[in-house]
Amino acid sequence: MGAQYYGADSENGDRIDDPSEDALFMMISDLNDSDNTFLVVQPDDDPVWFASVAVLDEGGYEIVQRDTVRNEHEVTTATSINDIARDLTIWLAGRDFPKRPARQVSEF
């Protein structure tokens, strides 16, 4: 069975379904400049958005966030794995997932 919402796949074949911030931190920490240079996070079905993290030759990471439905495409660089994992988690929370139940607003 695949991810309920999305999966994170690294170049070396590691995969985590619906990764938490801690799981993203771990996967980014495992990246290197030889045989595991990037990871991609996207839905399994009909990926209209994705995020990727790639190791830069000069150090640090390039982060790409693209959402074709919202016409978003952002490319940034960062060195803090903690910041990257946090920012990705926040960005992923704002994506649309066809299988996710509708959000309910309470008046309490």
Side-chain angles (χ1 to χ4, degrees), residues 49-61:
W49 59 261
F50 75 90
S52 66
V53 179
V55 175
L56 294 172
D57 289 337
E58 60 273 9
Y61 303 88

Side-chain angles (χ1 to χ4, degrees), residues 2-29:
Q4 186 171 2
Y5 301 123
Y6 55 90
D9 298 285
S10 62
E11 180 181 17
N12 70 357
D14 287 344
R15 178 179 173 85
I16 297 179
D17 291 335
D18 303 320
S20 65
E21 182 175 341
D22 289 340
L24 289 170
F25 180 93
M26 180 186 70
M27 290 185 83
I28 297 166
S29 296

Side-chain angles (χ1 to χ4, degrees), residues 63-74:
I63 302 94
V64 177
Q65 297 165 316
R66 182 159 180 110
D67 188 327
T68 59
V69 172
R70 298 177 184 196
N71 201 27
E72 296 175 358
H73 185 205
E74 184 174 345

